[in-house]
């Protein structure tokens, strides 16, 4: 039960954690006496009725009672009832109809006691014959039962002594454990106090309407009841009648629903054991076994999921039943039918497959396999097994109909939770992962989750992909560092000039020598900045303005209204977040952002289509421009076969995408506030390499010292110079392709020739020698112009690309 606590004058909080009492109640506080007084008056009422049948039947019974005084008053010794058993049976017949005797679960006892004097056989069989047996079998806590009796008693007092017709009714569901099978059943108890009479000792305690309302508002405050209505003032005479209704199925299903909605119910071995115990109670079979199969989104993790969820009979690492074997068994048949399938006796099965034999080897003789669907999607299976032939059949299988949806919800949630755990591990250990290699990270994450069950310090296994082919591309904003510095210089100079205007105006209003000094220092800063921006100059200027110029504004703004207006305008012009002039830099950053977004958006859209050709790893990084990296190879895919034709296909695709990006950037250039140019570069490498995921940096990197050369080239080729000149390799309107071996050039010349033939590229192809870079020498490059007038909306279908690549591949080979 619970209590109602008043929070304020408008609200109350119901606390169902316990009864509210400081009294150390160890027994029922009221005096009770056993008697038939109220029951006898009922018979006397029947005698007085005009109904001849009732009165005729009641008269001889009442006459017999007159001659048995020990049954008319208080009955001290219950054993005397045995002496007058026939008469007691007749008296109690108004409560225990003879026609329902064999079905009734009912008992009568002294008031508020389990000391029964009259019970049906079914009640004795279920609950026992003595109070000790009853309490031993009940799940209820003695303290809770005692306090519930006390409240029932007080409501009887309100009713009989104060005319307050309020009933204290609680849904009394109790569990009873069978001492032999240890299985549990549940019963709804109904307490009938109609045969109990309240007697007052001395003067009836005064109970105002205000006190009554106070008691009813805080009904479980036992202390308050005892204070207002002391137990010694009241006695209870008569007997109570208790009836029980079997609600085992409803109660267990309700408990299952509650349990299955809790977290980790089918993940935790302890909770799963409790769940299985309730299923045993539901089916009335103490040796019933339960298993759950969870079907993950990624079927390659089926046995890993089975290890984590539900203790499946079949789908676990111990038995190693594969999907093909399961398909040709009762499991596959259940999935095909979409309904529970029952084998009452596996020994009599006509076609025993590996699966059925494995079940028999586990000692199972009868089994139910039930598919679990969540929102019309198959998420798992419920397995029920028994070592007894015929124990599971169509009759008791009907019980699972109402709980399958509950198990489906629990399985789906567990799959989602495990999926979430996998994603959490991936994000913690690896950050965001490209979909093409997610399968490998999921497997590693699942392995890590399993390891952490036994070792919380376990670390994720190395993730390495061997023999993959790299592709690298860069769309770079030319002279971005120089143009950014020029924008900063322009903004700083303008900021200083606005500050100087205020200082000069202030000195004209009030001649103070410090204003001349400040004006001189501002001019010095302007001169230095125009000559060139050094590291730290920007912070130095902002600090000077904040602490030495702007700190005087509160003083000088009061000199005259015009100065105040100048200062107000000054603050409005400055960026509110940076507190500095931010016009040219804003224009520059906005232009860079537009360029980056244009490149990034096109790469992302094109990448979606390219993944349909063959799965590959793709990554991109934003700087002043966008660089992207691609890896393709057999080790990156799970279920597909790689061929070098897909590599050639991707190289042609990359070149086409770079040409389209160049055209798109040319189209948006007139609309940029700062007309920035971009140059485009591709790095070619025919030799495969290995890549390893670096957990510390959360990204892939080449693996092995030999492959480091590739990473060095990526970092330095954008600064490459054409040999024998001062010309940068990368030029606006052109695509440069850096290579090391003649075969790489031959292959790409075929792609270039094709794209020139369709009008995407144009002009002569330059074949250039490059000056040695730090750590890298012997590089060469192809360079070609992009046709800016080519219709960039023209779409080249992947089938056409495939055809071109096949032709080029034949000629190169």
């Amino acid at each position: 039960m619970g209590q109602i606590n008043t929070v304020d004058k408008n609200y109350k909080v119901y606390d169902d954690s316990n009864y509210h009492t400081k009294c150390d109640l160890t027994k029922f506080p009221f005096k009770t006496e056993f008697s038939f007084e109220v029951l006898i008056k009922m018979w006397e009422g029947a005698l007085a009725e005009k109904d001849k049948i009732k009165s005729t039947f009641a008269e001889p019974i009442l006459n017999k009672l007159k001659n048995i005084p020990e049954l008319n008053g208080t009955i001290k010794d219950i054993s005397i009832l045995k002496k007058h058993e026939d008469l007691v049976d007749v008296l109690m017949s108004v409560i225990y109809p003879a026609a329902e005797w064999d079905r009734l679960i009912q008992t009568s006892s002294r008031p508020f006691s389990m000391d029964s004097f009259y019970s049906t056989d079914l009640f004795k069989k279920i609950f026992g014959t003595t109070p000790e047996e009853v309490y031993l079998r009940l799940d209820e806590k003695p303290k809770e039962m005692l306090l519930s009796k006390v409240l029932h008693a007080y409501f009887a007092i309100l009713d009989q002594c104060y005319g307050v017709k309020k009933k204290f009714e609680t849904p009394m569901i109790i569990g009873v454990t069978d001492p032999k099978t240890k299985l549990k059943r549940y019963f709804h108890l109904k307490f009938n106090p109609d045969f109990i009479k309240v007697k007052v000792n001395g003067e009836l305690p005064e109970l105002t309407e205000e006190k009554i309302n106070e008691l009813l508002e805080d009904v479980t405050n036992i202390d308050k009841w005892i204070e207002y209505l002391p137990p010694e003032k009241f006695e209870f005479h008569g007997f109570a009648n208790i009836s029980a209704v079997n609600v085992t199925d409803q109660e267990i299903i309700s408990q299952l629903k509650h349990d299955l909605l809790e977290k980790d119910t089918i993940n935790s071995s302890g909770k799963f054991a409790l769940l299985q115990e309730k299923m045993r109670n539901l089916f009335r079979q103490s040796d019933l076994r339960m298993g759950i199969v969870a079907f993950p989104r990624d079927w390659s993790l089926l046995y890993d999921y089975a290890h984590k969820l539900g203790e499946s009979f079949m789908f676990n690492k111990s038995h190693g039943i594969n999907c093909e074997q399961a398909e040709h068994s009762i499991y596959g048949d259940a999935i095909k039918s979409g309904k529970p399938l029952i084998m009452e006796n596996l020994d009599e099965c006509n076609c025993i497959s590996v699966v059925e034999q494995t079940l028999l080897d586990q000692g199972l003789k009868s089994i139910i396999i039930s598919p679990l669907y969540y929102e019309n999607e198959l998420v798992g299976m419920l397995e029920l097994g028994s070592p007894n032939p015929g124990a599971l059949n169509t009759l008791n299988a009907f019980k699972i109909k109402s709980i399958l949806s509950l198990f489906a919800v629990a399985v789906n949630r567990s799959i989602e939770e495990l999926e979430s755990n996998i994603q959490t591990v991936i994000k913690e250990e690896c950050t965001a992962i490209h979909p093409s290699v997610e399968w490998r990270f999921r497997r590693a994450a699942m392995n890590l989750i399993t390891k952490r069950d036994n070792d919380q310090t376990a670390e994720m296994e190395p993730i390495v992909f061997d023999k993959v082919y790299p592709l690298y591309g860069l769309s770079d904003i030319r002279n971005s560092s120089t143009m950014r510095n020029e924008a900063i210089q322009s903004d700083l100079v303008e900021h200083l000039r606005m500050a100087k205007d205020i200082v000069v105006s202030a000195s004209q209003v009030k001649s103070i020598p410090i204003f001349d000094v400040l004006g001189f220092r501002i001019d010095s800063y302007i001169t230095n900045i125009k000559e060139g921006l050094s590291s730290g100059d920007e912070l130095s200027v902002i600090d000077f303005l904040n602490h030495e110029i702007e700190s005087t504004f509160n003083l000088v703004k009061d000199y005259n209204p015009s100065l105040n207006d100048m200062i107000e305008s000054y603050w409005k012009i400055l960026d509110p977040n940076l507190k500095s002039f931010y016009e040219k830099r804003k224009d520059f950053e906005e232009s860079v952002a537009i360029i980056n977004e244009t490149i990034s958006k096109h790469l992302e859209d094109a990448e979606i289509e390219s993944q349909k050709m063959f799965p590959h790893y793709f990554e991109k990084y934003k700087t002043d421009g966008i660089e992207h990296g691609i890896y393709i190879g057999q080790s990156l895919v799970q279920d597909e076969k790689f061929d070098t034709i897909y590599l050639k296909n991707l190289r042609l695709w990359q070149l086409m995408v770079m040409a389209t990006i160049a055209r798109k950037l040319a189209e948006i250039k007139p609309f940029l506030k700062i007309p920035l140019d971009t140059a485009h570069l591709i790095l070619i490498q025919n030799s495969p390499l290995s890549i390893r995921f670096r957990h510390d940096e959360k990204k892939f990197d080449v693996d092995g010292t030999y492959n480091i050369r590739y990473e060095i080239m990526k970092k330095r080729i954008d600064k490459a110079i054409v040999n024998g000149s001062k010309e940068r390799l990368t030029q606006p309107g052109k695509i440069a392709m850096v290579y090391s071996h003649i075969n790489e050039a031959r292959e790409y010349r075929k792609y270039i020739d094709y794209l020139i033939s369709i009008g995407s590229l144009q002009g002569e192809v330059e074949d250039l020698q490059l000056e040695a870079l730090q750590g890298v020498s012997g590089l060469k490059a192809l360079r070609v112009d992009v046709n800016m007038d080519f219709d960039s909306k023209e779409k080249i279908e992947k089938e056409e690309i495939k055809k071109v690549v096949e032709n080029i591949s034949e000629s190169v080979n």
Side-chain angles (χ1 to χ4, degrees), residues 372-391:
L372 300 174
Y373 289 90
Y374 180 79
E375 295 183 351
N376 297 321
E377 179 185 356
L378 181 68
V379 294
M381 306 187 83
L382 175 65
E383 306 162 311
L384 296 176
S386 170
N388 306 309

Side-chain angles (χ1 to χ4, degrees), residues 596 599-601 603-604 617-622 626-629:
N596 283 350
I599 300 170
S600 184
K601 179 67 168 59
L603 276 173
E604 288 173 1
Y617 180 79
F618 175 88
E619 60 186 0
K620 62 182 175 65
Y621 305 99
K622 284 186 181 180
I626 300 287
E627 59 178 303
H628 67 268

Side-chain angles (χ1 to χ4, degrees), residues 377 381 565 592 749 757 771:
E377 179 185 356
M381 306 187 83
D565 291 343
V592 169
R749 274 191 174 275
S757 72
E771 289 187 357

